């Protein structure tokens, strides 16, 4: 177990709604990354936060936004949900601004959009 | 978009045999990482190999990297039932060098038959 916790574990939303997913990073880690994993696919990078600043963003529209708090926990917000947003959302933390290489993943939040 | 592709997509072997998975990628990289995922749960980091390295070992794992062929292989020796999982390679491309933006492949589903 990595010490990265995510909530909620499962949720169901309808198209057009908004969702907030939460992540607590492992103790001592100041970097949080978010990934989207569609069924049967590999994870895709959404963005990374380092010391409360966005430190890189993948190819996702602006309705995907995030925050990192002073305690290094993080939120992922998705507005105007679409059916294709149904996926496992994975949060990962690491102890520095990317230099260590290894990511420590949580168990994910499974979002279903109806 | 996916950077890499794992080959094969699925692999079934008898317990005790060796399992080899391959990963190909498209552009130059600074490092390549392998992760394991048990049935829709979080990913677990296995090993990281940098672009100037050719081979690394960790317990029953052996990873090779051939940057001229843009490919990597993961060998698991003396497989166990607990090795049943999906295995993903992930690359980090310049200008990143740590874990700022991992690009995952499509994964190999490994099944160990007791």
């Amino acid at each position: 177990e990595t010490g990265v916790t995510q909530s909620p574990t499962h949720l169901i939303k309808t198209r057009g709604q908004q969702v907030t997913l939460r992540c607590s990073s492992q103790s001592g880690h100041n970097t949080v990354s978010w990934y989207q994993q569609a069924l049967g696919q590999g994870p895709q990078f959404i963005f990374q936060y380092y010391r409360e600043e966005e430190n890189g963003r993948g190819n996702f529209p602006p309705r995907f936004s995030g925050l990192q708090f002073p305690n290094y926990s993080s939120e992922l917000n998705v507005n105007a949900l679409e059916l294709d947003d149904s996926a496992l959302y994975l949060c990962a933390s690491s102890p520095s601004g990317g230099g260590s290489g290894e990511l420590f993943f949580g168990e994910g939040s499974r979002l279903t959009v109806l | 978009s996916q950077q890499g592709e794992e080959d094969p997509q699925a692999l079934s072997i008898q317990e005790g045999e060796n399992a080899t998975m391959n990963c190909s990628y498209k552009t130059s990289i600074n490092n390549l990482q392998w992760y394991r995922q048990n049935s829709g749960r979080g990913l677990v980091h296995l090993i990281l190999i940098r672009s100037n390295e050719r081979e690394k070992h960790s317990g029953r794992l052996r990873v090779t990297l051939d940057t001229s062929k843009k490919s990597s292989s993961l060998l698991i020796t003396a497989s166990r039932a607990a090795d049943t999982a999906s295995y993903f390679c992930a690359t980090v491309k310049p200008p990143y060098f740590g874990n700022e933006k991992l690009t995952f492949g499509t994964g190999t589903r490994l099944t160990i038959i007791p």
Side-chain angles (χ1 to χ4, degrees), chain B residues 51-69:
Chain B
S51 58
N52 60 352
E53 298 174 310
R54 291 296 167 259
E55 186 172 316
K56 282 189 85 169
H57 296 255
S58 176
R60 294 185 296 114
L61 305 180
R62 173 180 169 251
V63 168
T64 61
L65 179 64
D66 187 335
T67 53
S68 67
K69 295 181 179 178

Side-chain angles (χ1 to χ4, degrees), chain A residues 33 35 37 40-45 48 55 57-58 88 90 94 97-103 105-107 110, chain B residues 1-2 31 33 35 37 40-45 48 50 88 96-107:
Chain A
S33 305
Y35 286 80
Q37 186 178 23
Q41 301 293 316
Q44 293 208 22
F45 175 72
Q48 184 182 77
N55 185 39
R57 186 180 180 93
L88 182 67
L90 294 161
S94 57
S100 68
E102 177 180 355
L103 287 177
F105 282 87
E107 295 294 316
R110 184 164 297 283
Chain B
S1 62
Q2 309 282 168
N31 76 61
Q33 305 179 32
Y35 286 82
Q37 184 178 39
R41 301 186 65 185
L43 283 79
V44 175
H45 181 267
L48 180 154
R50 300 202 182 276
F88 293 91
Y96 307 109
F97 66 94
N99 61 30
E100 295 90 336
K101 185 178 178 181
L102 267 65
T103 304
F104 283 84
T106 51

Side-chain angles (χ1 to χ4, degrees), chain A residues 1-63:
Chain A
E1 217 167 282
T2 63
V4 178
T5 58
Q6 293 187 242
S7 63
T9 54
H10 295 83
L11 68 166
I12 300 173
K13 293 284 187 177
T14 56
R15 199 169 43 179
Q17 284 188 312
Q18 178 264 344
V19 68
T20 297
L21 307 178
R22 296 178 175 83
C23 172
S24 293
S25 59
Q26 185 168 317
S27 177
H29 290 185
N30 58 17
T31 303
V32 171
S33 305
W34 286 93
Y35 286 80
Q36 180 197 65
Q37 186 178 23
L39 201 60
Q41 301 293 316
Q44 293 208 22
F45 175 72
I46 304 175
F47 38 58
Q48 184 182 77
Y49 280 86
Y50 170 57
R51 291 184 175 177
E52 303 178 60
E53 297 287 331
E54 190 177 284
N55 185 39
R57 186 180 180 93
N59 190 25
F60 280 81
R63 59 190 185 84

Side-chain angles (χ1 to χ4, degrees), chain B residues 12-50:
Chain B
S12 292
I13 60 172
Q14 294 291 133
E15 192 168 18
E17 294 182 336
N18 295 341
T20 299
M21 289 159 272
N22 302 297
C23 168
S24 60
Y25 55 91
K26 298 172 184 173
T27 64
S28 62
I29 63 170
N30 279 333
N31 76 61
L32 184 145
Q33 305 179 32
W34 285 90
Y35 286 82
R36 184 185 75 222
Q37 184 178 39
N38 290 340
S39 192
R41 301 186 65 185
L43 283 79
V44 175
H45 181 267
L46 296 176
I47 199 164
L48 180 154
I49 187 166
R50 300 202 182 276

